[in-house]
Each structure stands twice: as structure tokens, then as C-alpha cells.
Amino acid sequence: MKKIVSLFAAAAMTVSVAVAQDINAVTDTFNNGMMELNMGNKEAALEYLQSALAEAESLGEAGSAIADNCKATLPFLMISIAKDYINADRFDDATALLAKAEEAATLYGESSRAAEAKALANQALMAKANEFLKAKDYAGAIAVYNQIMAGDANNAMAALRLGQCYSATGDLAKAEEVLMLAAENGQQKQAYKQLSTLYVKKAQASFKSKSYQQAYDFAIKSNEFLENANACKFAGQAAFALGKNEEALPYLEKYVELSPNAKDANQMRFNIAATAQKLGDKEKAKTYYEQVLTDAKYGAAAKQQLDALNKQ
């Protein structure tokens, strides 16, 4: 009986010594990780701490204290490394590591760290997309901005820049869709400016191809988002081309009001005066003829018409 008890005691002592040795080994791994971290060697520290966590968890209760210390440090460390990756334009590495950081922080009950990792991942994706946009790689930018919006459907800045990309590729419908979304989420001024520019370019192209009704419609649409001189000009000229003189006049008047020093401003003033004269609006005709009397090209004709009007 004494022999059997002695065997059990020896076995227990052997297990205890083995556990102690394992704990010492895990402690050394953890300490090495913290030493690397203090020295600024973050990636080496990450490897050590990940190994320490796996080893500590395998020891159960005996390794719980070290495991808890690893869990408290790892999400912070991953986020810190990811920030370094972003600063080095290693966006894919950053987003991959941040996904792991968010997963780990969520698992360890570190909700604030998880939220930080998620927000930083969006920043990394935004930076990556912006680099594509800067390089005019619109396909690449569109893919990444859409990736951002897949996780954050109301991201106004991503929507704004996505609209810019769709505009550049000529996808009018998509551009308007995402720019309106940007407008609804705090970027109305910039979104409307982009939409106005988009439609005035369409108006210009349509006018050049002599699609006057389309040019007129696009110009009006441009002005709905942001009144601007060029939209007024194309609306007026397109209306003239369509024989809608009365509709043309207010747009051309607005054009010279918004761009009084434009190269073609006096031409527009003369056209306004001549059209008003045809429509029987003598006072408006006189007003605009008087504005071009000193113009080298239109002055003589303006004076002739003005004299005729004054005699009536």
C-alpha cells in the first residue's frame, strides 16, 4: 500500500514540475514580447505575444494570468502596427491586420478597441481608394469606395468621391445616385457642386453635337443643383437653337450677370438686345445695346440699332 501511495506522489510531483516548467517558458515568451515592444520592435513583439497566448491557454487555469495580459495587449499592438502600415502606404496589410484586431478585441471583450480597429480599417481603405483616385485609376477607386460603403452605407465622403469616379467614367446614373446619398449625409454643398458640373459637361457635349433639346435639359438640371454661368449659357443658346427665344433671354441675361467679364459676354449682350428688339421689348433692347457701344466688334451695329429705336 505504501508503495502505491509513493508512486502517486511521485507522479504528482512530476506533473507539478512539468507545469512549473511550462509556466516559466510561457512567462519567458511573454517577457520577450514585452521587451521587444518596449524596444519598438512591434512585429517581433506581436509574434511573441501571440505565441505566449497560445501556450498560456493550453495550460488552462495555470496560464490564465499570462493569457489575460496577452489579451489586454494584443489588440492595442495590432492597431499600432496597422497605423504604421497606413503611414507606409501598406494599405492591404493594414486592413488585414485591423480585421484580426477587431476580431480579437471583440472576442476578448474589448469593445472600444474593436470599434477603433473598425474605424481605422475604413481610414485605411479610404486612403487606398484616394491613391487610386489621385492616379486616375477610376476602376480601382470605385472598387475600394464601394467596399467602404458595403460596410458603412452612409459614408458621405466615400459616396462623394465615388460620385467623382463615376462622373469621370461617364456613368451618369450611378454618379447621381451616390452623390445624392452624399448630399443626404452631410456633404450637400460638395455633392451638388459635382452634380452641377457633371450636367453642365453633358450640356456642353450635347450642344456641340447639336442635340439642342438634350443640351437644354442637361443645362436646366445643372442649374437645379447649383446655378452657374455655363449652365445658363448653354440653356440660353440651346433655347435659341430650338427657336424658343423668350425662354432663351432670361438664361442669357443670367449668364452675363454671373460672368460680366467673360470673353463672349458682349456677344451675348448684343444677342439679348437683338432678340428683345424682335420680341418688341424696346427698353430691354436699348439697355443691352447701350452696354456694348464701346465694343470694337458690336459697337457700331449697336449704335445703329439704338438710334433706330430712339427714333420710334
Side-chain angles (χ1 to χ4, degrees):
M1 185 66 177
K2 289 182 179 180
K3 185 175 181 180
I4 293 173
V5 171
S6 297
L7 287 174
F8 275 119
M13 186 177 295
T14 301
V15 171
S16 179
V17 171
V19 169
Q21 289 175 339
D22 288 341
I23 290 175
N24 287 337
V26 174
T27 301
D28 286 342
T29 303
F30 176 80
N31 288 338
N32 286 336
M34 297 307 293
M35 181 177 66
E36 293 290 352
L37 181 57
N38 290 332
M39 293 172 61
N41 301 325
K42 299 177 185 178
E43 292 182 340
L46 180 61
E47 290 185 14
Y48 274 119
L49 293 178
Q50 286 175 327
S51 295
L53 176 60
E55 294 168 13
E57 287 183 328
S58 71
L59 297 177
E61 185 63 29
S64 61
I66 293 176
D68 288 343
N69 284 328
C70 291
K71 291 174 181 178
T73 306
L74 280 169
F76 159 79
L77 180 55
M78 290 178 181
I79 290 171
S80 181
I81 294 171
K83 289 178 179 177
D84 293 338
Y85 287 163
I86 292 172
N87 291 333
D89 294 341
R90 294 173 58 182
F91 303 121
D92 290 338
D93 291 334
T95 51
L97 186 56
L98 286 166
K100 293 179 181 178
E102 182 183 359
E103 181 182 1
T106 301
L107 181 63
Y108 306 153
E110 297 282 345
S111 58
S112 61
R113 288 292 185 199
E116 182 184 1
K118 184 175 182 178
L120 193 59
N122 274 344
Q123 291 178 31
L125 287 172
M126 183 71 78
K128 180 181 178 181
N130 291 345
E131 287 296 312
F132 280 129
L133 179 58
K134 185 178 178 181
K136 296 185 178 181
D137 182 349
Y138 298 117
I142 286 170
V144 182
Y145 286 131
N146 272 318
Q147 184 180 350
I148 294 169
M149 295 192 68
D152 183 6
N154 296 321
N155 191 312
M157 188 56 66
L160 188 69
R161 291 176 180 169
L162 184 56
Q164 185 178 344
C165 294
Y166 282 132
S167 296
T169 59
D171 193 336
L172 178 62
K174 280 286 189 182
E176 183 168 2
E177 178 185 343
V178 294
L179 288 171
M180 289 302 295
L181 181 62
E184 292 166 5
N185 286 281
Q187 290 291 333
Q188 180 174 313
K189 183 177 180 180
Q190 289 300 318
Y192 278 13
K193 184 178 180 180
Q194 279 198 42
L195 284 162
S196 181
T197 300
L198 184 156
Y199 279 102
V200 83
K201 287 180 178 178
K202 292 288 184 181
Q204 183 179 22
S206 297
F207 188 84
K208 188 175 181 180
S209 66
K210 298 183 179 181
S211 300
Y212 298 122
Q213 185 60 55
Q214 192 175 59
Y216 180 82
D217 292 340
F218 281 139
I220 298 303
K221 190 76 172 177
S222 174
N223 262 345
E224 287 176 1
F225 289 111
L226 180 65
E227 187 175 58
N228 64 94
N230 284 331
C232 291
K233 175 182 175 179
F234 288 121
Q237 288 183 319
F240 266 141
L242 293 167
K244 300 176 180 180
N245 292 344
E246 290 187 16
E247 290 184 31
L249 279 183
Y251 289 112
L252 293 183
E253 288 183 87
K254 194 65 179 180
Y255 170 67
V256 296
E257 177 188 332
L258 294 174
S259 294
N261 300 315
K263 290 182 179 180
D264 61 354
N266 279 346
Q267 177 187 346
M268 295 301 171
R269 291 185 178 101
F270 187 86
N271 290 342
I272 293 168
T275 303
Q277 186 177 3
K278 288 179 182 178
L279 294 172
D281 191 340
K282 295 180 182 179
E283 293 307 314
K284 181 176 288 189
K286 288 179 182 180
T287 297
Y288 281 95
Y289 279 136
E290 286 171 356
Q291 292 179 20
V292 297
L293 285 174
T294 59
D295 185 85
K297 184 174 182 180
Y298 299 101
K303 186 178 184 308
Q304 183 180 2
Q305 294 302 322
L306 191 59
D307 289 343
L309 285 170
N310 286 331
K311 291 176 182 179
Q312 293 178 8

